[in-house]
Each structure stands twice: as C-alpha cells, then as structure tokens.
Amino acid sequence: MYGLIGKMRAARGQRDVVMTVLRESTGALPGCLSYIIATDPADADAIWVTEVWTDQASHKASLQLPEVQAAIAKARPFIGGFEFQVETHPVGGFGLAETKTG
C-alpha cells in the first residue's frame, strides 16, 4: 500500500470551502482505500489529509482524472498553500486489510 499524510492551509476563513470541495471530489477513486479530511483544532485555516492507496501508481493516475482536475481548479483560489506532505507505507489497521511484510 501507499500512503500520504499532508497539511494544507486554506486562505484565511476559507477552510470550509476547501473541505467541501475535497469531500465532493472523493467519491469512487480507483485504488483509493481511505481518504480522510480533518480539521486542526489548534489552527482554524489548516486541513489535514490522510490517504491510503493500493499503490503509488493509483494515486498518480487519480491526479489525471477529469473530476479530480476539476476539483483542483475549483479549490485553487481558496488554498493558501501546502505546508508538507509525507509518504508512508501502510501495513494495515482498522478498516484496512492486513498485508504481509518482510
């Protein structure tokens, strides 16, 4: 599996707009096992996104989907920036199938 955890910043006071666009665009994405959008209780403009994909290729392919491209264009004016993004290799957990490691 392939995972991403990222923190983005909405333009001041626009967090709910960005989160609405993200929620509306996270329907059936091929290869996406989990896509969690969360607020930051200590930062009114921050949005955390945690993703789990079957593999990195599925994530990369999703960025080319017309509905994802449209969501990016719709949200862009309301995004203040991206603070960081880290890649992970999920091995399982509640809601995810266990995979063999080693």
Side-chain angles (χ1 to χ4, degrees):
M1 286 186 274
Y2 175 74
L4 292 170
I5 301 171
K7 182 180 181 183
M8 74 171 69
R9 180 159 303 286
R12 183 171 292 279
Q14 300 300 312
R15 182 175 71 182
D16 289 346
V17 173
V18 175
M19 290 186 358
T20 296
V21 173
L22 291 173
R23 283 194 309 268
E24 290 172 349
S25 65
T26 55
L29 297 173
C32 185
L33 303 175
S34 178
Y35 191 95
I36 307 298
I37 305 158
T39 60
D40 187 322
D43 186 340
D45 295 319
I47 301 167
W48 290 88
V49 178
T50 305
E51 307 173 48
V52 179
W53 297 82
T54 54
D55 53 37
Q56 188 174 13
S58 294
H59 173 260
K60 187 175 180 180
S62 76
L63 298 174
Q64 303 307 312
L65 294 171
E67 57 270 28
V68 173
Q69 289 290 313
I72 291 169
K74 186 175 181 179
R76 186 173 284 126
F78 306 104
I79 295 174
F82 295 87
E83 293 195 7
F84 69 88
Q85 183 176 42
V86 294
E87 293 183 0
T88 65
H89 294 281
V91 295
F94 185 77
L96 295 177
E98 293 293 326
T99 60
K100 303 234 183 219
T101 59

